[in-house]
Amino acid sequence: MASQVISFHYTLTSRAGEQLDFSRGQEPFSFLTEKKQIIPGLEKELLGMKPGDKRQIAVAAKEAYGSRRDELVVRVPREKLPGSEVKVGDRFRGGPEDDAPVFRVSEISESEATLDANHPLAGVDLVFDVEIVATRAATPEEIQHGHAHDGHGHH
Ligand code: ZN
């Protein structure tokens, strides 16, 4: 099937009912299909929908951001933190490279800090309430760039 651009509104909640994100009040979210731009468990379901269709789509953690991995949680001496003002919830990149892991500070004690490089939604079962706004064929330029050129695309 040829690549499409799908635009949709969504409300994202955890299966436990906590609202995590939503697109209402902004442009709908647009993405190019077949480019792994959104989580596979969601894309698979959106492909079968038409403009105006509304659905609730449950995506298990393993088809979303994966399971939490204990090996991505590390304890370091507190003086290794970048600065003395760092507090729980802060995020920082673990190195100068663009693809260096992002750590979230999950705990700080007198002498140690616990850093967690798991995606914040790892291990979370997700529920998307979606409404398809528009679908269209992707342009050759979009296919070449690998992303949609409206909504949250770049340019
Ligand atoms: Zn582009």
Side-chain angles (χ1 to χ4, degrees):
M1 200 166 117
S3 283
Q4 285 181 283
V5 173
I6 298 179
S7 302
F8 66 103
H9 275 299
Y10 66 91
T11 301
L12 172 59
T13 51
S14 67
R15 199 170 56 186
E18 184 193 356
Q19 185 168 301
L20 301 168
D21 195 12
F22 60 92
S23 65
R24 294 278 172 197
Q26 309 164 50
E27 292 284 299
F29 184 84
S30 296
F31 74 101
L32 181 63
T33 62
E34 300 171 6
K35 295 291 180 190
K36 298 188 166 68
Q37 295 203 299
I38 65 170
I39 57 176
L42 179 60
E43 176 165 340
K44 192 174 67 186
E45 301 298 327
L46 293 178
L47 286 174
M49 295 174 66
K50 300 185 302 295
D53 284 354
K54 291 183 188 179
R55 258 184 73 189
Q56 189 170 80
I57 298 169
V59 183
K62 65 176 169 34
E63 283 207 69
Y65 294 97
S67 305
R68 282 185 57 79
R69 289 161 53 194
D70 288 343
E71 68 270 28
L72 297 181
V73 178
V74 294
R75 298 177 72 117
V76 299
R78 196 168 169 168
E79 60 268 21
K80 289 276 176 78
L81 294 178
S84 55
E85 304 292 296
V86 174
K87 54 192 185 311
V88 170
D90 284 355
R91 290 165 195 282
F92 58 87
R93 208 170 274 287
E97 311 83 17
D98 280 348
D99 60 351
V102 173
F103 290 95
R104 190 180 73 87
V105 180
S106 61
E107 230 182 287
I108 298 183
S109 71
E110 287 289 308
S111 57
E112 282 189 325
T114 305
L115 306 179
D116 186 346
N118 283 287
H119 187 282
L121 294 179
V124 180
D125 292 324
L126 303 176
V127 179
F128 291 87
D129 279 287
V130 302
E131 178 178 359
I132 302 289
V133 176
T135 63
R136 62 175 171 79
T139 65
E141 190 186 43
E142 286 172 324
I143 292 168
Q144 196 190 0
H145 289 198
H147 51 236
H149 278 169
D150 50 25
H152 290 249
H154 80 145
H155 302 312

